[in-house]
Amino acid sequence: MDVAACAVGRLAPDGPWIGFAPALDDTYVLVIGGAGDSRREPADPDDLLSLALAYFEDALEAPPEELAATHADIGALVRHLAEVETDAPRRTRLAQAVDGIDDGLASDVVVGRLVACLDGDEDAVARLARRARAWPRRG
């Protein structure tokens, strides 16, 4: 049974939405959906951080209202990343990002903390669009 997905936003106006969902193995997956269908793919930490960044940057088109991720959903996602991170410096940076989210700091402060957690320098929205394009099409 699939757990409900949280949509962060649409990649284009009236286009597919992208988000995340907890998986049964205590991880999170990327989810892309549209037209009553969705696909789930394994996600690495930078994929999930990109979703959090897109949320706080308000960088995507609005998601379907009934699936829209909340501040608490994003907080839980980043908290999970901090809990499972094995690299101590990155875990510390993720914990600082969680604190910023939980404390309701300004979006630009949270964005700065999330960016400091990324391994690469790829733009969050570009990464999400690239991941969505790479998924095999059905039918």
Side-chain angles (χ1 to χ4, degrees):
M1 178 176 170
D2 284 336
V3 177
C6 295
V8 173
R10 291 183 185 279
L11 297 168
D14 298 320
W17 56 265
I18 192 161
F20 61 94
L24 298 177
D25 62 354
D26 197 33
T27 62
Y28 279 83
V29 294
L30 280 176
V31 183
I32 187 167
D37 187 25
S38 67
R39 299 184 313 267
R40 294 168 185 243
E41 293 287 327
D44 69 32
D46 280 356
D47 294 332
L48 300 172
L49 282 169
S50 292
L51 287 168
L53 274 163
Y55 176 87
F56 282 104
E57 290 176 333
D58 199 21
L60 300 174
E61 299 291 328
E65 190 173 316
E66 67 278 7
L67 298 174
T70 65
H71 192 93
D73 295 328
I74 300 296
L77 175 68
V78 178
R79 181 173 291 102
H80 169 79
L81 292 172
E83 290 170 355
V84 300
E85 180 58 55
T86 58
D87 178 72
R90 188 172 188 198
R91 184 174 49 247
T92 298
R93 292 189 303 272
L94 284 162
Q96 291 169 343
V98 169
D99 288 345
I101 294 167
D102 288 349
D103 292 345
L105 296 182
S107 292
D108 61 330
V109 174
V110 174
V111 165
R113 290 182 181 190
L114 290 169
V115 167
C117 299
L118 289 171
D119 279 338
D121 59 0
E122 184 176 23
D123 174 76
V125 174
R127 180 187 187 90
L128 297 172
R130 177 179 55 78
R131 286 297 315 267
R133 283 190 308 271
W135 293 357
R137 303 275 183 232
R138 291 186 184 169

